[in-house]
């Protein structure tokens, strides 16, 4: 936007941040003065401009201002968060990436304050290089696992509890601890996907009062060749998150469950864990398996689509040593059966529906599609789908082909303020009989309908029951 304003004739530009604090960016193709201000200062300037001609005096030389802040070590407001479409924890780890004083091409000044993955990714790359230098025999997977399990925790300053793994993964990268590590833990993270009724489990009799849980095995290896290792495991639970408000509307900033305690003071809003006969000692150079049940919070209303999470803290102490090392394995899960959720937005959204090509609803009554009256079928995606197709069906209820772009291996989540607010497919007499959409055929005039199917989360593409299906009203192609 700044280069566009310059091209339009601007001689100076004021950038007002729409998030708290200042915005830091590098305008390498701009040769006019640019000033960045906070939202509060921006409102003052806008009020001054509204009152009449206004002068804003900026610095006369290059100035790099890094303000005092209490957000150091916290998650940046613009940082992306998970999970991925299969509920795998994402990101895996965090790295410094906000307000970093770094290098830029010499012709643009040599140094500047920048933010984002342009800063965080080089930090991680450097950490990998240091770890590889210190431990050259590590494989790629071992590097990933060590960096993930030796992180430092990130605590929410407002609540005092650990941030959700969907925001921080395992935590803040700590390359020193990774290089000095004397243990390996696998897997480095637990994505539970969905929780099940514990009454059908072989461990059911050991947990009282729980409804939903998931049991996992974790392998801990003592890589010290000479000293035995003592193991204790704690649970650092995070507040549950949802992407929906109670009224069902989308929350662009995740909703955090406030918590609810039982009469005995137990916080029922956070997950708990149960260990089954955990080994207390892992002999030098040996490994042991730990079976843990992660129990979903009991007070969450599954209709609100909550995602719980936390971190298993493996506190390791080697024989004759006073110090304790903490290794972290984050976990996250859905309170209920994620695979049963609809991927299409509810009918109250107005979709799916056949509309004119601009997205406006069509007049009630019989619909005839022709060269003079075009239409498309529109969908709103409540969740991503990893397989979908939109087909044209004739009056004999036989599929005659896919609509243009009507077969796809992935379609993302959509929402009014998302980069993709809606998806649509044009309806015409041209369809394709193959999945790669190369064999086009023309269908005769007649009555048709649309048949669409989208794979539900974690679904099996070979099982028709795992698809959400929608069939349109009948229309005519002339």
């Amino acid at each position: 936007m700044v280069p566009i304003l310059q091209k339009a004739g601007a001689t100076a530009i004021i950038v007002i941040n729409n998030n708290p604090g200042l915005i830091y960016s590098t305008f390498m193709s701009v040769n006019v003065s640019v000033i960045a201000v906070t939202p509060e200062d921006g409102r003052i300037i806008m009020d001054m401009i509204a009152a009449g001609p206004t002068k804003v005096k900026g610095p006369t030389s290059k100035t790099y201002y890094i303000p005092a802040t209490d957000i150091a070590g916290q998650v940046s407001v613009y940082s992306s968060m998970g999970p991925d479409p299969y509920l795998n924890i994402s990101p895996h780890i965090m790295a410094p990436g906000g307000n970093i004083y770094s290098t830029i091409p010499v012709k643009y000044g040599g140094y500047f304050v920048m933010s984002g993955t342009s800063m965080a990714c080089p930090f991680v790359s450097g950490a990998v290089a240091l770890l590889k230098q210190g431990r050259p025999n590590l494989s790629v997977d071992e590097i990933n696992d060590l960096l993930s399990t030796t992180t430092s925790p990130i605590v929410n300053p407002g609540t005092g509890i650990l941030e959700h793994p969907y925001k921080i993964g395992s935590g803040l990268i700590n390359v020193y601890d990774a290089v000095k590590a004397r243990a390996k833990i696998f897997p480095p993270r637990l994505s539970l996907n969905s929780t099940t009724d514990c009454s059908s489990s072989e461990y059911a009799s050991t947990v009282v009062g729980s409804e939903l849980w998931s049991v996992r095995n974790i392998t801990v290896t003592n890589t010290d060749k000479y000293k035995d290792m003592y193991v204790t495991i704690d649970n650092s639970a995070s507040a549950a998150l949802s992407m929906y408000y109670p009224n069902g509307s989308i929350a662009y900033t995740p909703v955090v469950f406030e918590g609810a305690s039982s009469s005995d003071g137990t916080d029922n809003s956070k997950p708990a864990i149960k260990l089954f006969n955990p080994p207390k000692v892992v002999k030098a150079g040996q490994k042991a398996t730990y079976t843990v049940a992660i129990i979903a919070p009991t007070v969450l209303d599954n209709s609100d689509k909550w995602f719980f999470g936390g971190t298993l803290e493996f506190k390791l102490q080697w024989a004759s040593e006073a110090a304790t090392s903490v290794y972290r394995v984050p976990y996250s899960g859905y309170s209920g059966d994620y695979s049963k959720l609809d991927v299409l937005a509810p009918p109250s959204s107005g979709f799916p529906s056949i509309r004119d090509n601009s997205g406006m609803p069509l007049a009630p009554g019989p619909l005839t599609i022709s060269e003079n009256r075009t239409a498309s079928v529109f969908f709103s995606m409540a969740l991503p789908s990893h397989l979908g197709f939109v087909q044209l069906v004739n009056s004999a209820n036989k599929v005659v082909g896919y609509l243009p772009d009507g077969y796809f291996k992935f379609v993302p989540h959509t929402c009014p303020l998302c980069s993709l607010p809606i998806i649509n497919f044009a309806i015409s007499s041209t369809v394709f009989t193959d999945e790669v959409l190369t064999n086009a055929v023309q269908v005769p005039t007649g009555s048709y309908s649309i048949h669409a199917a989208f794979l539900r989360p974690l679904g099996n593409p070979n099982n028709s029951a795992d698809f959400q299906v929608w069939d349109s009203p009948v229309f005519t192609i002339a």
Side-chain angles (χ1 to χ4, degrees):
M1 178 59 73
V2 169
I4 294 175
L5 294 174
Q6 175 186 271
K7 188 174 181 179
T11 57
I13 299 168
I14 300 173
V15 179
I16 302 173
N17 195 7
N18 61 349
N19 287 309
L22 289 168
I23 185 172
Y24 298 93
S25 185
T26 306
F27 306 113
M28 296 184 180
S29 58
V30 176
N31 53 25
V32 299
S33 297
V34 180
I35 301 174
V37 300
T38 65
E40 294 77 14
D41 290 339
R43 283 191 288 270
I44 294 173
I45 293 173
M46 294 302 293
D47 290 341
M48 293 169 61
I49 293 174
T54 302
K55 291 184 178 181
V56 177
K57 186 177 180 180
T60 58
S61 61
K62 291 181 179 178
T63 301
Y64 302 111
Y65 170 53
I66 303 178
T69 176
D70 59 356
I71 61 172
Q74 303 302 315
V75 181
S76 300
V77 294
Y78 48 81
S79 184
S80 297
M81 62 179 294
D84 74 4
Y86 288 107
L87 289 193
N88 293 313
I89 293 175
S90 181
H92 289 174
I93 54 176
M94 302 294 287
N99 302 341
I100 305 297
Y101 189 59
S102 185
T103 56
I104 59 173
V106 173
K107 67 178 181 179
Y108 297 122
Y111 297 92
F112 201 79
V113 178
M114 294 185 288
S115 298
T117 51
S118 295
M119 299 292 98
C121 287
F123 193 99
V124 174
S125 298
V128 171
L130 288 172
L131 180 54
K132 186 67 174 175
Q133 182 184 33
R135 306 179 68 169
N137 294 326
L138 291 176
S139 68
V140 172
D141 288 339
E142 288 173 327
I143 289 173
N144 174 49
D145 294 350
L146 273 181
L147 288 176
S148 296
T149 56
T150 57
T151 55
S152 299
I154 300 178
V155 175
N156 185 298
T159 63
I161 64 174
L162 193 70
E163 292 279 17
H164 196 286
Y166 287 169
K167 297 182 72 174
I168 65 170
S170 299
L172 184 63
I173 192 170
N174 186 331
V175 68
Y176 179 84
D177 282 358
V179 171
K180 303 294 287 185
R182 288 189 286 170
K184 296 179 181 178
I185 299 181
F186 185 84
R189 61 195 66 86
L190 300 176
S191 297
L192 308 179
N193 295 325
S194 61
T195 44
T196 57
D197 185 350
C198 70
S199 62
S200 61
S201 168
E202 61 180 298
Y203 302 105
S205 61
T206 65
V207 178
V208 179
S210 171
E211 296 178 357
L212 300 172
W213 70 350
S214 186
V215 178
R216 293 291 188 273
N217 290 324
I218 300 173
T219 300
V220 179
T221 303
N222 180 6
T223 57
D224 192 304
K225 297 180 180 179
Y226 306 103
K227 293 185 177 183
D228 293 346
M229 180 178 70
Y230 299 88
V231 182
T232 58
I233 303 175
D234 289 336
N235 176 40
S236 183
S238 304
L241 302 178
S242 177
M243 59 183 178
Y244 293 95
Y245 292 113
N247 64 5
S249 60
I250 294 174
Y252 294 97
T253 299
V255 177
V256 179
F257 193 84
E258 296 295 337
S261 297
S262 62
S263 58
D264 62 1
T266 302
D267 187 350
N268 295 322
S269 68
K270 297 182 181 66
I273 66 169
K274 173 70 176 181
L275 300 171
F276 302 101
N277 301 316
K280 295 182 179 180
V281 181
V282 181
K283 295 292 184 180
Q286 300 298 311
K287 65 179 64 175
T289 298
Y290 293 79
T291 300
V292 57
I294 299 174
I295 307 166
T298 58
V299 298
L300 299 181
D301 185 342
N302 288 353
S303 64
D304 291 334
K305 301 177 182 177
W306 291 104
F307 299 88
F308 60 87
T311 297
L312 300 176
E313 295 183 342
F314 289 77
K315 297 181 178 180
L316 312 180
Q317 187 175 30
W318 281 263
S320 74
E321 297 182 14
T324 298
S325 297
V326 180
Y327 291 65
R328 295 178 171 83
V329 176
Y331 63 85
S332 61
Y334 179 73
S335 184
D337 189 345
Y338 193 67
S339 67
K340 301 301 183 184
L341 294 182
D342 287 342
V343 292
L344 296 177
S348 59
S349 67
F351 302 98
S353 59
I354 297 177
R355 301 176 173 226
D356 67 26
N357 287 343
S358 67
M360 296 302 294
L362 298 171
L367 170 62
T368 298
I369 298 174
S370 64
E371 292 183 0
N372 297 324
R373 190 183 189 191
T374 58
S376 296
V377 56
F378 287 77
F379 298 89
S380 177
M381 304 298 298
L383 293 172
S385 175
H386 271 269
L387 179 63
F389 48 84
V390 183
Q391 300 170 313
L392 191 67
V393 178
N394 64 20
S395 57
N397 202 32
K398 179 182 178 181
V399 173
V400 295
Y402 299 102
L403 297 190
D405 299 321
Y407 185 91
F408 37 88
K409 294 294 182 69
F410 178 77
V411 59
H413 164 70
T414 64
C415 63
L417 297 183
C418 294
S419 57
L420 184 66
I422 210 80
I423 58 173
N424 65 289
F425 305 87
I427 303 172
S428 70
S429 59
T430 300
V431 296
F432 297 86
T433 58
D434 60 323
E435 294 177 356
V436 293
L437 308 177
T438 58
N439 186 26
V441 299
Q442 298 294 311
V443 301
T445 60
S447 297
Y448 295 89
S449 63
I450 299 296
H451 175 76
F454 296 86
L455 188 64
R456 295 183 188 272
L458 314 177
N460 179 359
N462 298 317
N463 184 0
S464 60
D466 287 350
F467 285 80
Q468 183 179 1
V469 173
W470 177 80
D471 293 292
S472 78
V474 175
F475 55 85
T476 300
I477 291 181

